[in-house]
Amino acid sequence: MAVAAILLSPRPRYYDITALTFHFYALVTNIRHVRSYMIETVVGAGQRVSLQVDTGSSDLWIASKSCLSSSCGQTNGHLYDASSLMSTGKTFSIKYLKGVIPGPIVWDKFSVGGYSLDSQALAAAMVVASEALSAAFSGILSLALPLNLIIAELILPITSNSPDGATWASNLFSITPTSSAPAHRFLSLLLSRPGSDAVPAQLGICRHPDLVLMLARRNWENAFVCFETHHHPFPPPFFSSSTHTNTAHP
């Protein structure tokens, strides 16, 4: 399968899956200059929900329409309609440095960047205590390795196609048939500086963002110039945009 990429944005533009791009964007609050990066996802029966990208946790949760917390009221009604879900019978609760998120664990359709999963395990948060939400995002899409995964402790991941408690990234790279899954098992993340469009914020599935590849080529070219000038005994390795040597497996 050709390499697919994703760029993230509040209003994504969809292209062919082999060159899929979104514009990802940053939100800055006035509280200690907190920065949040959001991605639009599709949940259940076509509901578009923006989630905050988090590299420090492993669980996926979305504030549901059953949530009456003040934080959920800040989403301007952009809450998860769980009408199409399949119940797991398990209950989720995660504690952050500040705040706690409890709710039932469900299975539902979940899509990011054109890749769709029929039964992704996620928590439908019924309470969002001391955790900020906004009209820009209604939950968390976690990208950390699943060492601290709460959902998987309650619903063990399995190797068949039956619903389980695996992370979004794990299910993404396990799509069957394999010809429909990303060709390479890694995600890349490029974060923009809020208030500047010099560097876009991008999430790449199975490829690095184009700007990263361009800068890498430029760095290697400069390294070769340095080698030729100073006669360094060991030249830098050859860089190829079609070669992926540093892959991170979820």
Side-chain angles (χ1 to χ4, degrees):
M1 176 182 177
V3 173
I6 300 183
L7 289 156
L8 310 162
S9 118
R11 296 180 180 175
R13 295 171 295 169
Y14 292 92
Y15 300 94
D16 184 80
I17 190 65
T18 58
L20 189 65
T21 56
F22 298 83
H23 283 292
F24 180 57
Y25 79 108
L27 173 72
V28 183
T29 71
N30 292 325
I31 305 174
R32 297 181 183 178
H33 303 289
V34 175
R35 294 176 176 85
S36 298
Y37 295 85
M38 279 68 68
I39 176 176
E40 186 179 79
T41 67
V42 181
V43 189
Q47 182 183 7
R48 297 187 182 277
V49 177
S50 290
L51 302 178
Q52 180 181 359
V53 174
D54 181 20
T55 59
S57 63
S58 305
D59 289 287
L60 166 61
W61 63 265
I62 309 174
S64 72
K65 288 191 173 181
S66 300
C67 178
L68 300 178
S69 303
S70 58
S71 293
C72 294
Q74 300 300 314
T75 65
N76 289 353
H78 300 154
L79 297 171
Y80 171 41
D81 180 359
S83 60
S84 62
L85 64 78
M86 179 168 54
S87 175
T88 67
K90 302 291 184 180
T91 301
F92 168 92
S93 181
I94 185 171
K95 293 182 179 180
Y96 294 101
L97 183 62
K98 285 186 177 180
V100 59
I101 314 294
I105 300 173
V106 302
W107 287 304
D108 209 341
K109 294 180 179 179
F110 188 73
S111 299
V112 177
Y115 290 101
S116 182
L117 303 171
D118 289 335
S119 301
Q120 174 61 50
L122 61 98
M126 300 185 70
V127 176
V128 179
S130 301
E131 184 71 19
L133 295 176
S134 75
F137 66 96
S138 307
I140 298 291
L141 175 63
S142 299
L143 300 181
L145 295 173
L147 296 177
N148 298 318
L149 185 63
I150 297 173
I151 293 177
E153 291 181 354
L154 300 170
I155 307 172
L156 295 178
I158 56 179
T159 56
S160 70
N161 288 330
S162 299
D164 62 9
T167 64
W168 165 71
S170 179
N171 285 332
L172 169 70
F173 296 120
S174 301
I175 289 176
T176 56
T178 55
S179 59
S180 298
H184 301 283
R185 294 172 58 90
F186 77 93
L187 301 172
S188 62
L189 194 61
L190 178 65
L191 300 181
S192 64
R193 183 180 296 244
S196 171
D197 58 1
V199 175
Q202 301 175 350
L203 173 69
I205 294 179
C206 175
R207 67 170 284 179
H208 296 294
D210 291 338
L211 179 61
V212 172
L213 295 175
M214 180 189 72
L215 293 175
R217 291 191 192 96
R218 184 179 300 169
N219 288 340
W220 287 126
E221 290 170 358
N222 292 338
F224 276 116
V225 171
C226 180
F227 165 72
E228 292 174 353
T229 302
H230 299 285
H231 303 289
H232 193 281
F234 299 103
F238 178 72
F239 174 80
S240 171
S241 61
S242 62
T243 302
H244 301 281
T245 56
N246 296 320
T247 59
H249 298 271

